[in-house]
Amino acid sequence: MNSNPITRALVLAGAGAAGNAWQIGLIAGLAEAGVDLTEAELIVGTSAGSTVAAQITGSKRPAELYAAILAEPPRSAGAVLPTDRGRGHLSGPNYMAWSDEIIETSADAADMRRRFGAAALAADTGQGSSRWRDMVASRLPGRDWPQRCILITAVDASTGEPVVFDRDSGVDLVDAVAASTSNGFGGAYAIGARRYLNGGYRRSSNADLAAGCGRIVILEPFSGASRQPHEWGMDLGTQVAELRASGSRVETVFPSAAAGDVFNANALDPATRPPAARGGYEQGLELAGDLSSFWLSSS
């Protein structure tokens, strides 16, 4: 990337159903007001953000994606995804308690990734990947990667090593997104003989992958919060400081109160999507004036 500098990068972090909807709403609101984040030459997608990355680089414009969220059938709070049935220990509040225990007993980030991998492999029945792939595929524009540079994060469940998929990885777009969002079905996602974990285990928002870009906008549904110890360097603040020290200009965007209090253990709940999307859209309209000079600048 350093030999061919990229002017603008968009980083899309994770946060379940709510995070996906808020980011789509925000991008749609900004576009409506004249700031088109989909024009970024590099897009980094993590977990729910990987779904957004694939969606906004497909044939549908942000306004269409936003409208589709608002048109989704109403769901009651606490609704359970079909893939969650029988896996209550790996979703919602129970997932938070389960994962907190792994984090607290880990020596460092690498140890944490290995422990999460071992736990996911132990819980894997071998039946979840195909169902999860079908669900992910239904949300995406297709299997093929777009022409622009998109990076989608995951972690190898067997080794704990970070993985970054792109169009040259030999993995189709659906599999890459399904791996990055594997928390959605509670197991380790299978691609061939390998198994993969959610991309958020690599390094929260994974904004460091935009290093070398001139201007970077980071959409972070969890507002930069990290459940890992600060000294592990997983948090967004550390990544932003690294990017700025290397010469990048960085803007971060967090959800406003209008999106609702959904970016917590309830983030996986599909019922959070319409309010999160509406809040993001209104926030995008409000932010456009401040963000336009940064995003549209020629420098």
Side-chain angles (χ1 to χ4, degrees):
M1 189 180 300
N2 289 331
S3 60
N4 296 288
I6 291 176
T7 303
R8 294 179 296 183
L10 174 63
V11 176
L12 303 164
N20 171 275
W22 172 73
Q23 290 179 91
I24 291 292
L26 181 79
I27 291 167
L30 285 167
E32 176 68 21
V35 180
D36 190 356
L37 296 184
T38 71
E39 294 177 343
E41 295 95 343
L42 169 67
I43 299 178
V44 178
T46 295
S47 193
S50 71
T51 305
V52 178
Q55 290 171 324
I56 65 173
T57 54
S59 59
K60 293 183 178 180
R61 297 298 301 154
E64 296 176 84
L65 297 169
Y66 172 61
I69 294 173
L70 300 187
E72 291 173 359
R75 298 175 185 265
S76 59
V80 178
L81 290 170
T83 49
D84 284 336
R85 295 191 180 101
R87 293 181 176 273
H89 68 295
L90 292 179
S91 63
N94 291 326
Y95 167 78
M96 299 294 282
W98 172 81
S99 56
D100 278 343
E101 182 177 357
I102 290 179
I103 293 169
E104 290 168 4
T105 56
S106 298
D108 53 29
D111 185 40
M112 177 198 71
R113 288 190 285 267
R114 288 190 293 269
R115 289 173 181 262
F116 271 120
L121 290 171
D124 194 355
T125 65
Q127 301 176 351
S129 290
S130 61
R131 292 196 300 270
W132 185 241
R133 189 184 196 284
D134 290 343
M135 182 169 288
V136 169
S138 71
R139 302 168 178 167
L140 303 188
R143 296 176 51 184
D144 297 330
W145 293 77
Q147 289 302 310
R148 80 183 68 194
C149 185
I150 296 181
L151 305 179
I152 292 179
T153 63
V155 169
D156 188 302
S158 298
T159 65
E161 289 298 313
V163 176
V164 180
F165 296 114
D166 62 19
R167 62 179 295 106
D168 298 319
S169 299
V171 170
D172 72 34
L173 183 62
V174 174
D175 276 331
V177 173
S180 191
T181 58
S182 62
N183 277 7
F185 78 96
Y189 183 77
I191 303 178
R194 308 302 301 175
R195 300 292 186 271
Y196 296 94
L197 303 179
N198 188 285
Y201 296 135
R202 179 190 175 275
R203 201 183 181 195
S204 63
S205 63
N206 294 298
D208 60 294
L209 293 176
C213 297
R215 282 167 283 151
I216 305 167
V217 170
I218 303 170
L219 307 189
E220 229 296 356
F222 283 132
S223 302
S226 175
R227 292 187 293 142
Q228 291 84 23
H230 180 73
E231 58 268 23
W232 291 5
M234 298 279 284
D235 62 290
L236 178 61
T238 297
Q239 295 171 61
V240 170
E242 292 170 356
L243 291 169
R244 288 175 174 160
S246 69
S248 296
R249 297 168 59 198
V250 183
E251 291 287 344
T252 58
V253 183
F254 304 150
S256 66
D261 184 19
V262 296
F263 301 103
N264 46 42
N266 296 322
L268 295 176
D269 190 338
T272 63
R273 288 174 57 75
R278 291 190 193 96
Y281 184 82
E282 295 299 324
Q283 189 175 357
L285 294 176
E286 295 172 1
L287 282 176
D290 292 334
L291 200 57
S292 62
S293 60
F294 175 83
W295 191 248
L296 302 175
S297 170
S298 60
S299 61

